[in-house]
Amino acid sequence: MSEPTSHNQWKTLDKDLGRISHMEYATSYVSRPLVGMGISLAFLVIAGLLASLFLGTEPERFVVITAAVFGAYMALNIGANDVANNMGPAVGANALSMGSAILIAAVCESAGALLAGGDVVSTISKGIIDPSGMSETRTFIWAMMAALLSAALWVNLATKLGAPVSTTHSVVGGVMGAGIAAAGFGAVNWPTMGQIAASWVISPVLGGIIAAAFLALIKDRIIYRDDKIAAARVWVPVLVGVMAGTFAAYLALKGLKRVISIDLPSALLIGLGLGLLTWLVTRPLIRRQSEGLENRNRSLKTLFGLPLILSAALLSFAHGANDVANAVGPLAAIVHAAQEGNFADKVAIPLWVMVIGAAGISFGLFLFGPKLIRMVGSQITKLNPMRAYCVALSAAITVIIASWLGLPVSSTHIAVGGVFGVGFFREWYMERRLRQGLAASGQTRRLPAEERRRRKLVRRSHFMTIVAAWVITVPAAAAMSALIFILLNSATG
């Protein structure tokens, strides 16, 4: 009788160990967000301490320390939300693992912010509010504080809901709401706000059209050719040259303001020269890389892998150089007002403020970024290296076109619009080919409604959620900012 009893004991022990193992896994899963929260809180405390070190005995020391904490919170949210737009397509196309994408983005975003970030920023977010409407410096400080906190809270909420939104638009909404609460509707520059509202439509539509146009070119000239490899040897160097030239112009125009100021014609000439040079260098490299590859689409993905990774890294660098300054602008304005006792249209950004912005983006990306990276990269529509490459290229080209037209645009809207454009183009293209096939076989019937729904390549639920988040970003941030300003003003008045 002892042997069966022993067997039952071992069986019971296995079950108990299994329960303990499941409990440990569940505990690890539940505690993972708490670890992220703990690291985030530690970073906020460090940001406050850093501000206290650089302020000495300033009379507004407590105010600036609080603002530094809010600025660090904003930077964390930029990393969690905005950076996903640059790395999402590369991860969704399996050109990069999640870990590699986070590492590259963290390095490039920080480098862009610290090396090429604007050393002078418009404290009122590109002329949204007339500072002369503020009655005193303290009112201005509370307005900037409210703008910073409301923008961070809104981006945090959007990240929780899985919606990529524009951090720049969030800051604009925050500044507008606080300005209205402080100085009335007359303080708002409504023509500028009208341009920003127009960019909600222009940015994603233009990004989507350009991305779809490049995908149409790739399909026509490479994918649907009898000899795909021979076609790729001709066209991939051309596309890589276009990418290099576009990013050279983009970085010259938008990403190197701190180093040198370059006008649009000069930036385009720089882009043209580097693009031609890259085309010449890439031709033999692509020919060598394509030797021995099979005549199939999988081989094409190999040829587009490295250019896609480089384009994602360059997008991150340019994003760090531009958007970080916009996000820490209100913090820089508060520091200036506290130290000088007045406020100005433009102020210099102290290095320690840029460090908070760059470090916050890296921490936010590492701790909370994977959710939005997966959303942009794989949950809107299916991406491969060719499609993702079109999205990255479209983002750079759209920014240059918008700069030429003088339109304020959002990098978030452009990148996500490019993903939508690729997806909707694939739907249209597939249906067109199907109709042509039916016509060639003598059939004229339309596809059943259920079959048409099954063939949709863009998730409509994500499309509606993201568009709704874009539309309400400025009003939501403005309403929150106005409320926070009123509370701050009443508490200190």
Side-chain angles (χ1 to χ4, degrees):
M1 294 293 290
S2 62
E3 194 170 324
T5 303
S6 176
H7 177 72
N8 290 334
Q9 287 175 342
W10 280 111
K11 204 170 180 182
T12 304
L13 181 60
D14 287 342
K15 286 182 179 179
D16 290 340
L17 289 173
R19 291 192 188 100
I20 293 172
S21 176
H22 285 304
M23 189 178 298
E24 287 177 347
Y25 178 78
T27 303
S28 172
Y29 183 80
V30 171
S31 64
R32 199 176 303 158
L34 298 179
V35 172
M37 291 293 294
I39 295 174
S40 300
L41 288 173
F43 174 69
L44 298 184
V45 171
I46 291 171
L49 292 173
L50 186 65
S52 68
L53 289 175
F54 282 93
L55 287 176
T57 58
E58 295 291 338
E60 300 287 351
R61 187 176 184 182
F62 177 74
V63 171
V64 178
I65 290 172
T66 305
V69 172
F70 289 168
Y73 176 44
M74 179 62 179
L76 286 170
N77 284 292
I78 292 175
N81 192 299
D82 222 17
V83 180
N85 311 310
N86 302 325
M87 285 298 165
V91 173
N94 295 320
L96 280 173
S97 66
M98 182 66 74
S100 300
I102 289 174
L103 179 62
I104 291 172
V107 171
C108 292
E109 290 276 345
S110 300
L114 296 174
L115 298 178
D119 57 344
V120 175
V121 67
S122 173
T123 61
I124 321 298
S125 268
K126 301 178 182 176
I128 301 302
I129 294 292
D130 180 8
S132 63
M134 305 284 181
S135 56
E136 56 184 23
T137 302
R138 181 167 291 274
T139 302
F140 174 79
I141 288 176
W142 292 141
M144 291 298 103
M145 191 93 78
L148 197 56
L149 182 56
S150 64
L153 288 170
W154 171 249
V155 177
N156 197 165
L157 177 61
T159 304
K160 286 285 186 185
L161 297 175
V165 295
S166 168
T167 52
T168 303
H169 284 184
S170 301
V171 172
V172 166
V175 171
M176 184 185 77
I180 291 173
F185 284 91
V188 179
N189 186 336
W190 291 109
T192 300
M193 283 305 304
Q195 287 185 329
I196 292 171
S199 78
W200 296 344
V201 178
I202 295 170
S203 297
V205 170
L206 192 57
I209 289 172
I210 293 174
F214 275 106
L215 183 58
L217 175 70
I218 290 173
K219 282 181 177 292
D220 181 63
R221 296 296 174 183
I222 303 176
I223 294 177
Y224 290 115
R225 293 285 167 168
D226 292 334
D227 191 340
K228 303 178 195 295
I229 302 302
R233 286 172 178 167
V234 173
W235 283 99
V236 171
V238 172
L239 291 169
V240 173
V242 170
M243 179 203 75
T246 301
F247 275 109
Y250 181 19
L251 291 172
L253 189 67
K254 304 290 287 182
L256 299 176
K257 293 178 182 176
R258 189 169 189 170
V259 180
I260 186 172
S261 179
I262 301 175
D263 58 15
L264 181 60
S266 300
L268 292 177
L269 283 175
I270 292 171
L272 178 62
L274 191 59
L276 289 172
L277 179 62
T278 304
W279 171 69
L280 290 171
V281 171
T282 307
R283 288 179 66 192
L285 296 177
I286 292 296
R287 179 172 294 278
R288 193 178 306 120
Q289 188 182 6
S290 63
E291 288 177 359
L293 293 179
E294 297 180 37
N295 188 31
R296 51 191 301 191
N297 289 345
R298 186 185 297 274
S299 302
L300 300 179
K301 295 176 183 178
T302 302
L303 298 177
F304 276 93
L306 183 59
L308 173 58
I309 293 170
L310 292 175
S311 65
L314 288 168
L315 271 178
S316 292
F317 182 90
H319 179 270
N322 290 281
D323 288 30
V324 176
N326 287 333
V328 299
L331 174 55
I334 293 168
V335 173
H336 175 85
Q339 291 179 331
E340 304 297 330
N342 56 46
F343 42 86
D345 289 343
K346 292 181 180 292
V347 298
I349 301 182
L351 180 60
W352 66 268
V353 172
M354 291 300 290
V355 169
I356 287 176
I361 284 179
S362 299
F363 278 118
L365 173 65
F366 175 74
L367 296 172
F368 310 110
K371 181 177 181 179
L372 264 294
I373 288 177
R374 292 189 190 97
M375 158 68 80
V376 174
S378 59
Q379 295 179 15
I380 295 174
T381 192
K382 188 176 180 181
L383 295 174
N384 61 24
M386 285 87 80
R387 298 165 198 156
Y389 185 82
C390 294
V391 173
L393 192 52
S394 135
I397 292 176
T398 304
V399 169
I400 290 176
I401 293 175
S403 298
W404 175 53
L405 296 175
L407 296 172
V409 293
S410 162
S411 60
T412 300
H413 291 194
I414 294 169
V416 178
V419 175
F420 281 128
V422 163
F424 284 126
F425 172 78
R426 289 177 61 222
E427 280 187 11
W428 172 82
Y429 195 83
M430 186 181 69
E431 191 168 332
R432 175 171 168 265
R433 284 176 63 85
L434 187 63
R435 283 200 306 268
Q436 289 175 343
L438 290 173
S441 62
Q443 301 180 47
T444 57
R445 65 179 180 85
R446 290 174 58 85
L447 284 173
E450 182 63 31
E451 177 67 10
R452 290 170 67 87
R453 276 194 299 273
R454 190 178 68 80
R455 290 175 178 271
K456 298 297 183 188
L457 300 177
V458 177
R459 291 191 181 180
R460 290 333 191 245
S461 60
H462 290 327
F463 177 74
M464 297 307 297
T465 299
I466 291 171
V467 169
W470 286 354
V471 170
I472 66 172
T473 287
V474 170
M480 292 169 62
S481 181
L483 179 60
I484 292 170
F485 173 81
I486 291 170
L487 292 174
L488 288 172
N489 209 34
S490 61
T492 58

